[in-house]
Amino acid sequence: MKKSLIALGFGTLGLGIAEFVMMAILPFVASDLGVDIPTAGHFISAYALGVFCGAPGLTFVRRFQLKNILLGLTLIMIAGNLFAAFSVNYTMLLIGRFISGLPHGAYFGVASIVAEKLADHGKGSQAVSIMVAGMTIANLFGVPLGTSICTLMSWRVTFILVAIISVGVFYYIYKWVPQVEGLPRSNYKSQFHFMRNAAPWLIIFSTMLGNGAVFCFYSYVSPYLTVSCGFSTDIIPFLMVLAGFGMVVGNLVSGRLSDRFSPGRVAFTMQVIISMALLGLFFTHTLQLTSIVLMCICTFGLFAVSSPLQISIIHFSKGGELLGAACIQMAFNLGNAIGAATGGIPLRHALGYEYTALIAMPVAMIGAILTFIFFKKYESRQPSNEI
């Protein structure tokens, strides 16, 4: 495995911890700053807002070397997490979380292009999956580690840890990632021209719906397992590790499959599998072992879709590759938000937690249909050497 790809993966590891650890340590942060839990939830929203605001900024830095852009984004990661760590009130932490989110989508956008350029011939999707792997490892190990540090010491130390990781990312990108061929020069307006075509929009909406469907269920996975399935709360951390392991494997497997078949075909197949797994989670929630397997299939599929769609948007956003790749991360985050809100609908009507999976199933299927249209109408007609 190339050291340059490992360096890029460390970056997504730091971003993944920064994004998801707040959900685990929210009560500690709220208590320390003297705010209630719903108000502290704004810290999660502030990060997502930073993702949305930071990604379009790539249109202004396209002329710089890609490696230099990555180094600049890493500096913002360090600054944002240090600002968060030393925040003394609600407003300061809100600003710190916003700054922390700014480089997220932009980093994924630039790193995806760099990873593909560094890949051996015919292994572009696999290279992108290695870069994305840091995000899955963050869910598997990083977030539990950050939560433990928060419990034993302070939530501030958790963000200091992320800042330290980001310093390491800066060093390894500087040391291991070579200067790669830059993107062709283009003016500001021309970077948006790819949006005139239907293909990138199909990819973006497919990403949003596919991701949103899984998070419609996964946002409430803990009460689903305890209330609907009857698991003890003591075993939930272990089950979450299994779910995280599914993410890691799904991401790496899909990278290899995408290079062998095609990204669109793999993404469509995975989204259909997710749809069937969600339906199974509703009907078999009383069968504990089956529910665990289906949950892991969902998390496997969640990141098995990530790399194929990330590489697809690069191929279908010529002239605006940085913006297109960043848009995928915007779609992922929007899907998370929509999914969590959608999953709450049956709960507000006093239905069981298994209904979060039922309402998610048609959302996932719509995402699969959009991916199928993209594959048949656009990807399958593109010359094989361009896919």
Side-chain angles (χ1 to χ4, degrees):
M1 186 181 297
K2 294 184 177 181
K3 293 191 294 185
S4 54
L5 296 177
I6 296 175
L8 297 176
F10 272 124
T12 60
L13 171 65
L15 289 168
I17 298 175
E19 179 178 18
F20 292 112
V21 77
M22 180 58 79
M23 302 174 189
I25 66 175
L26 203 61
F28 299 93
V29 177
S31 175
D32 189 45
L33 296 182
V35 298
D36 57 27
I37 296 293
T39 301
H42 296 164
F43 301 137
I44 299 173
S45 302
Y47 188 97
L49 183 60
V51 176
F52 273 82
C53 293
L58 286 174
T59 57
F60 297 102
V61 297
R62 183 186 174 94
R63 63 187 179 87
F64 294 106
Q65 289 286 337
L66 296 177
K67 177 178 179 178
N68 295 340
I69 297 175
L70 287 173
L71 292 172
L73 292 171
T74 307
L75 290 176
I76 300 175
M77 291 165 57
I78 297 169
N81 284 288
L82 286 177
F83 197 97
F86 294 101
S87 297
V88 296
N89 55 43
Y90 167 82
T91 303
M92 282 188 66
L93 184 53
L94 204 66
I95 295 171
R97 291 291 292 169
F98 176 79
I99 296 173
S100 298
L102 285 174
H104 186 110
Y107 182 93
F108 270 88
V110 180
S112 296
I113 296 172
V114 173
E116 187 184 26
K117 288 180 177 291
L118 293 173
D120 296 330
H121 180 70
K123 295 186 177 181
S125 296
Q126 188 176 339
V128 172
S129 72
I130 293 172
M131 181 273 295
V132 174
M135 180 67 74
T136 63
I137 294 172
N139 280 280
L140 183 59
F141 297 115
V143 173
L145 173 62
T147 305
S148 298
I149 290 174
C150 172
T151 304
L152 296 174
M153 291 180 277
S154 167
W155 61 268
R156 300 178 187 277
V157 180
T158 300
F159 287 115
I160 291 174
L161 170 66
V162 180
I164 292 172
I165 292 174
S166 301
V167 171
V169 173
F170 183 93
Y171 172 78
Y172 287 118
I173 288 178
Y174 177 79
K175 190 82 172 177
W176 289 351
V177 177
Q179 291 285 5
V180 297
E181 180 186 356
L183 297 171
R185 291 290 184 93
S186 60
N187 59 41
Y188 178 79
K189 183 183 291 188
S190 66
Q191 295 181 56
F192 293 86
H193 284 177
F194 75 92
M195 292 184 173
R196 296 176 178 177
N197 302 316
W201 288 109
L202 287 169
I203 297 170
I204 290 170
F205 280 106
S206 172
T207 301
M208 183 182 72
L209 292 173
N211 200 63
V214 175
F215 270 86
C216 182
F217 158 74
Y218 198 66
S219 297
Y220 306 93
V221 67
S222 182
Y224 169 85
L225 292 171
T226 55
V227 178
S228 297
C229 300
F231 284 103
S232 166
T233 54
D234 296 335
I235 200 175
I236 297 302
F238 171 71
L239 297 181
M240 291 300 94
V241 170
L242 289 180
F245 184 72
M247 296 178 186
V248 174
V249 176
N251 174 63
L252 296 177
V253 168
S254 73
R256 292 180 176 272
L257 292 177
S258 295
D259 287 326
R260 182 174 179 180
F261 299 102
S262 75
R265 188 194 299 269
V266 172
F268 165 68
T269 303
M270 292 300 174
Q271 287 179 329
V272 171
I273 291 173
I274 289 173
S275 301
M276 296 301 100
L278 288 168
L279 192 61
L281 283 165
F282 172 75
F283 284 110
T284 65
H285 65 274
T286 57
L287 305 176
Q288 291 187 336
L289 181 59
T290 303
S291 295
I292 295 172
V293 172
L294 291 174
M295 175 191 69
C296 291
I297 290 175
C298 280
T299 57
F300 175 96
L302 175 65
F303 276 89
V305 171
S306 176
S307 296
L309 294 179
Q310 191 82 44
I311 202 75
S312 294
I313 196 71
I314 296 174
H315 295 158
F316 286 86
S317 57
K318 299 302 182 184
E321 294 90 344
L322 290 179
L323 180 60
C327 281
I328 288 296
Q329 292 306 309
M330 295 168 68
F332 273 123
N333 279 269
L334 186 58
N336 293 354
I338 293 175
T342 304
I345 294 175
L347 304 182
R348 285 195 293 271
H349 290 81
L351 296 173
Y353 287 99
E354 64 272 16
Y355 281 87
T356 60
L358 181 64
I359 200 172
M361 186 273 183
V363 178
M365 189 55 71
I366 294 172
I369 292 171
L370 293 180
T371 308
F372 181 76
I373 295 172
F374 159 73
F375 166 68
K376 293 297 290 185
K377 190 172 182 179
Y378 297 99
E379 186 181 74
S380 62
R381 297 180 181 180
Q382 196 177 42
S384 58
N385 63 337
E386 295 183 22
I387 296 178

